[in-house]
Amino acid sequence: MIDRLVRKGVAELPEYIPGKSKEEVVRRFGLNYEDVVKLASNENPFGPSPLAVKAIQEYAEEVNVYPESGAETLRKELASSFSLKPQNLIIGNGSDEVMELAVKAFLNPGEEVIIPFPTFSMYESFTRLYSGKIVRHPLDASFDYAVDSLLDKITPRTKIVFLCSPNNPTGSVISEGDLRQILEREVLVILDEAYAEFADKSMVPLVKGYENLLVLRTFSKAYGLAGLRVGYGVAGKKIIDYLFRVKPPFNVNLLAQRAAVEALRDIEHLEQTVARTVAGREYLIRELSRLSGVKVYQSQGNFVLLELIGDNVSARGVMEEMMKEGIIVRSCEGFGLEDRYIRVSVGREEENTRFIQKFKEKLSHGK
Ligand SMILES: Cc1ncc(COP(=O)(O)O)c(C=O)c1O
């Protein structure tokens, strides 16, 4: 009976496939928890700011009261860091929530949503959930945005264009010129900048000039607060006002709001995280480029995409072997890619070295 009652399309929604957890790998291969390295979910391996941890401890006894409904303190703090106004910001339970609020507020059933391929799977999930029509835009052979062909796909039926920069899982970015061309069209552009802190440039300043741009950012990556769930949207006042209309009250918990404010103030921790991550990323790219049978893509995120070249290669096979040794990386099937791609998150220095060492061994064994 329940199958007949559920909303149309919900049963067909694909399940989100997260990176494997340490616990799962410990159980499966009988390893020690401390010996397992997880390079599968683009988390921050250096941990959160100590100031954020202190705030969580301090406010733990105050969770009997509701948090600020619109996260006003955090909005104010973020606004001054971007030289914008609080009315240009909305805080979500992770940037995933802001993404959903945008689709909920703007998409009518049957309208088209342009989504790059491959990219983060939630854009398609929310489009399906709100009965939109997905128009896939394949990135070119180097995983760059082929903007001319994207522009060709925009029609009067198009409501939203999703862009992810740096793109998960490819690490590629969209140029400002290309973005501006898309923004000239009458569509809502949702630019997901979850990894912008690791990149050369952010497009947030463009929200001052384009009322149809919504930029999504998060505290889950560079700020190391993935477990707290706090992200935000930056846009012109009109978009933000509409998102507030569909936002549940008290959507971001009190500890998350307090910790995010402190994390934002700890500039030194952020700078260190970014510097070490970028150095780790360049190390991984350099080492992987030296290997025959592997193609590595340039990345501006805290992860690197690699492709196994040749016949009969299996990314899944290599990953399984790596897992037995306690190293978890991400298969790219959840992104719809073939079984030759692996995404590796940048870890701590010793984790990156261990990954390279084991990966080299597995490659030579597999030959
Ligand atoms: C591109 C992209 N956007 C958004 C998210 C989700 O971020 P949050 O934790 O803020 O919901 C992720 C998480 O992996 C991501 O890769």
Side-chain angles (χ1 to χ4, degrees):
M1 175 174 77
I2 290 300
D3 293 339
R4 285 198 304 274
L5 296 178
V6 73
R7 233 185 76 206
K8 219 170 118 207
V10 169
E12 284 80 46
L13 283 179
E15 204 183 326
Y16 181 76
I17 310 168
K20 293 240 177 323
S21 70
K22 278 193 181 189
E23 289 77 4
E24 203 178 330
V25 173
V26 165
R27 238 180 295 126
R28 214 171 125 206
F29 300 106
L31 301 166
N32 291 322
Y33 189 86
E34 311 75 60
D35 295 337
V36 178
V37 173
K38 187 182 173 207
L39 303 176
S41 297
N42 300 345
E43 291 149 340
N44 182 339
F46 309 109
S49 150
L51 299 186
V53 176
K54 194 161 154 261
I56 294 167
Q57 288 162 344
E58 225 171 272
Y59 287 97
E61 291 188 24
E62 291 187 25
V63 293
N64 56 316
V65 296
Y66 284 102
E68 287 178 285
S69 176
E72 284 74 13
T73 307
L74 179 54
R75 285 171 78 204
K76 224 181 270 169
E77 199 83 20
L78 275 167
S80 73
S81 80
F82 286 119
S83 305
L84 289 168
K85 300 210 166 92
Q87 63 205 36
N88 296 117
L89 285 140
I90 183 164
I91 316 296
N93 193 272
S95 56
D96 279 348
E97 188 189 27
V98 186
M99 202 181 290
E100 176 169 9
L101 294 180
V103 179
K104 198 195 253 183
F106 282 89
L107 189 68
N108 294 302
E111 288 179 334
E112 294 183 359
V113 179
I114 298 178
I115 301 177
F117 176 84
T119 194
F120 187 52
S121 63
M122 294 308 290
Y123 315 143
E124 287 205 7
S125 299
F126 288 134
T127 302
R128 279 178 211 273
L129 183 59
Y130 291 95
S131 309
K133 184 164 174 245
I134 295 163
V135 176
R136 273 198 178 176
H137 170 66
L139 301 182
D140 71 12
S142 342
F143 291 134
D144 284 328
Y145 280 93
V147 76
D148 288 338
S149 91
L150 191 152
L151 291 169
D152 285 345
K153 293 186 177 84
I154 299 177
T155 73
R157 292 181 300 280
T158 312
K159 176 56 74 68
I160 297 173
V161 176
F162 270 105
L163 301 167
C164 183
S165 182
N167 185 42
N168 180 8
T170 62
S172 39
V173 293
I174 189 159
S175 72
E176 183 173 330
D178 286 352
L179 176 62
R180 282 182 187 273
Q181 285 194 64
I182 301 167
L183 286 165
E184 292 300 332
R185 304 297 184 89
E186 197 177 312
V187 290
L188 172 69
V189 177
I190 304 180
L191 172 64
D192 185 345
E193 285 197 336
Y195 302 98
E197 288 85 356
F198 306 110
D200 297 340
K201 193 171 177 177
S202 160
M203 301 296 173
V204 164
L206 268 62
V207 302
K208 287 186 182 161
Y210 294 93
E211 66 167 3
N212 56 336
L213 173 63
L214 168 65
V215 183
L216 303 179
R217 302 283 295 258
T218 183
F219 284 90
S220 297
K221 308 296 175 182
Y223 289 96
L225 299 181
L228 277 184
R229 314 302 304 124
V230 48
Y232 55 98
V234 196
K237 181 180 179 307
K238 282 189 180 169
I239 289 183
I240 298 296
D241 283 352
Y242 282 123
L243 299 190
F244 261 88
R245 292 194 191 196
V246 293
K247 181 185 88 61
F250 315 115
N251 56 325
V252 183
N253 77 72
L254 186 140
L255 300 182
Q257 292 191 30
R258 297 295 181 176
V261 166
E262 291 305 319
L264 205 54
R265 288 176 181 160
D266 195 347
I267 291 165
E268 198 186 324
H269 186 267
L270 176 72
E271 283 178 352
Q272 283 229 358
T273 297
V274 171
R276 290 174 76 179
T277 304
V278 170
R281 179 180 76 202
E282 299 316 309
Y283 164 80
L284 289 176
I285 292 177
R286 200 168 54 242
E287 291 297 315
L288 290 165
S289 310
R290 291 200 179 123
L291 305 178
S292 66
V294 176
K295 179 171 178 185
V296 56
Y297 292 86
Q298 287 304 316
S299 168
Q300 290 207 24
N302 63 345
F303 53 87
V304 171
L305 182 72
L306 60 96
E307 180 182 354
L308 304 178
I309 307 290
D311 302 326
N312 303 322
V313 292
S314 166
R316 233 178 307 150
V318 173
M319 280 180 36
E320 186 76 8
E321 289 300 309
M322 300 281 292
M323 241 185 303
K324 287 184 193 158
E325 305 271 354
I327 297 174
I328 315 173
V329 287
R330 184 68 165 260
S331 113
C332 290
E333 290 155 312
F335 295 99
L337 286 172
E338 295 161 53
D339 183 25
R340 52 169 67 245
Y341 293 93
I342 297 175
R343 192 195 69 190
V344 190
S345 305
V346 180
R348 300 174 71 89
E349 292 75 1
E350 64 278 14
E351 295 173 333
N352 300 333
T353 320
R354 204 172 134 207
F355 163 75
I356 290 291
Q357 193 190 349
K358 291 290 170 199
F359 185 65
K360 279 185 189 166
E361 282 174 26
K362 296 303 163 199
L363 270 192
S364 55
H365 288 168
K367 280 190 177 150

